[in-house]
Amino acid sequence: PSGTVLPDLPMLERDEERERLARLLARGRSVRVTGPSGSGRSTLLEAVAADCERLAPDGVVRLSGYHRTPADLLHDLYAAVFDAPLYRPERAELLEAVQGVGAVVVLDDIDFGGAALDEFLDATPECAFLISATPDVPAPSADSHLEEVFLSGLSRTAGLELLARAARRPLAEDEASWAADLWFESEGLPLRFVQAGALLRQRDALRDDPAAREAGGGQDVPLPSIAEAASPAALLAGRLSEAAHDALRFAVALGGECPHQVHLRALSADTHADAALGELLGCGLVTAAGAHHRLAARVTDQLAEEGYADADAGRAHAVAGHYAWWAGHP
């Protein structure tokens, strides 16, 4: 439904990893969780963070590594632990301050590994880190003593359960067979079942709409093909509001980065445009990236193939003009 956000779905088949990660952090070890985009890394990290709230003297600190350098993250850690608004210490003071921080640091979507990661970890010896990364991020060095946990896809049983929960109802027999094919094609990635659940909810809405049934000659609405379910962005977007379409076009023009929902109203000249983010979250087209949102894995390319990138230059220019104006009006 328009403007609603899909309720948090439970983790499935991740209890073993969750317990292992909590045990390692309780012993002061640092861990890197590696899995492809859409495998549920962020959901797992958030669950483990909740388990570790009372583990360290400085509590749990949540940071986003998305497009952040080691220096950026040290400043982010400083800002999260110390009460020093609008203050940015020089490097020597920064390193001295973070040396004494004792926290469980949950660092999602890190962009670097190797020597840069070693240097970052060495600067914070009293912290235990829970880090997530995709397989293309450089691995930790052999001397980092960082535990590695790899996330695979869900089993077929868990995939069907997740789809039923995302669809908000039990699956019919033909839908269960369809979901089994989707599981094989998607290698069990949870994101794909969240998106498939949104397709089923849209199908339900069409089946309950007399006008839609009439337009279809009175026939039932067919299930999407596996090809459509494998690349669902255009089909999902086509049944959303115009404000959501506009938000997607801005995001494609910005390489997958979503403008903040407050700014969407100004960019699209629609006072209700901020509700578009709820629609996009509800169907799995966007995902959180720190304090903002970006298009989910593969969505940018799928939308570009359907013409959402046709006016990229003009939209990127409009965003640049708006933010230049906004930055000049504190």
Side-chain angles (χ1 to χ4, degrees):
S2 175
T4 61
V5 178
L6 189 67
D8 289 337
L9 294 169
M11 288 195 305
L12 299 171
E13 296 187 336
R14 300 295 193 219
D15 288 344
E16 182 178 341
E17 290 91 344
R18 179 177 180 172
E19 293 170 4
R20 179 186 175 193
L21 292 172
R23 286 197 305 269
L24 289 168
L25 293 168
R27 298 203 300 263
R29 304 297 297 271
S30 291
V31 195
R32 191 177 92 150
V33 178
T34 302
S37 296
S39 60
R41 289 174 293 119
S42 298
T43 301
L44 177 60
L45 261 62
E46 187 57 35
V48 176
D51 295 339
C52 298
E53 289 288 352
R54 301 181 182 276
L55 203 58
D58 289 317
V60 173
V61 176
R62 293 168 172 83
L63 301 178
S64 172
Y66 184 64
H67 288 179
R68 307 294 284 169
T69 67
D72 291 333
L73 289 172
L74 288 176
H75 281 286
D76 291 344
L77 178 60
Y78 179 91
V81 174
F82 296 97
D83 184 16
L86 303 181
Y87 179 64
R88 187 175 177 87
E90 296 294 333
R91 182 164 179 82
E93 181 185 356
L94 173 66
L95 291 176
E96 182 180 358
V98 299
Q99 280 271 336
V101 174
V104 173
V105 181
V106 179
L107 177 53
D108 202 5
D109 277 338
I110 198 169
D111 277 349
F112 56 87
L117 181 55
D118 291 345
E119 181 182 349
F120 176 67
L121 296 175
D122 289 343
T124 53
E126 300 302 318
C127 291
F129 283 86
L130 178 58
I131 299 169
S132 84
T134 53
D136 59 312
V137 174
S141 68
D143 299 328
S144 68
H145 304 294
L146 196 68
E147 298 278 350
E148 284 267 27
V149 173
F150 296 93
L151 282 190
S152 59
L154 300 175
S155 70
R156 174 175 168 176
T157 299
L160 267 63
E161 182 179 347
L162 178 57
L163 178 59
R165 294 184 184 227
R168 301 172 186 161
R169 59 168 176 77
L171 301 179
E173 185 176 346
D174 61 333
E175 292 169 338
S177 298
W178 175 77
D181 292 339
L182 176 63
W183 171 81
F184 182 80
E185 186 278 331
S186 68
E187 299 182 340
L189 287 182
L191 174 65
R192 302 288 292 281
F193 289 95
V194 172
Q195 293 172 336
L199 289 174
L200 292 184
R201 296 199 310 275
Q202 289 184 344
R203 179 175 179 247
D204 289 344
L206 289 173
R207 295 166 80 177
D208 293 339
D209 183 354
R213 288 201 306 271
E214 186 66 27
Q219 298 179 354
D220 193 12
V221 181
L223 279 168
S225 67
I226 291 300
E228 289 173 321
S231 300
L235 185 57
L236 285 169
R239 295 169 179 170
L240 299 177
S241 69
E242 187 54 42
H245 293 165
D246 214 31
L248 288 172
R249 291 187 179 96
F250 277 116
V252 172
L254 297 176
E257 304 294 333
C258 298
H260 192 280
Q261 61 196 89
V262 171
H263 298 290
L264 281 173
R265 289 179 291 191
L267 289 169
S268 61
D270 182 347
T271 56
H272 301 292
D274 54 338
L277 183 61
E279 291 186 75
L280 301 177
L281 281 167
C283 58
L285 289 178
V286 302
T287 186
H292 69 288
H293 293 82
R294 69 178 188 267
L295 296 181
R298 303 171 62 242
V299 168
T300 303
D301 292 340
Q302 292 175 28
L303 292 177
E305 291 175 0
E306 295 297 322
Y308 279 75
D310 289 352
D312 270 6
R315 287 182 178 272
H317 188 269
V319 172
H322 168 72
Y323 276 109
W325 171 87
W326 176 74
H329 292 76

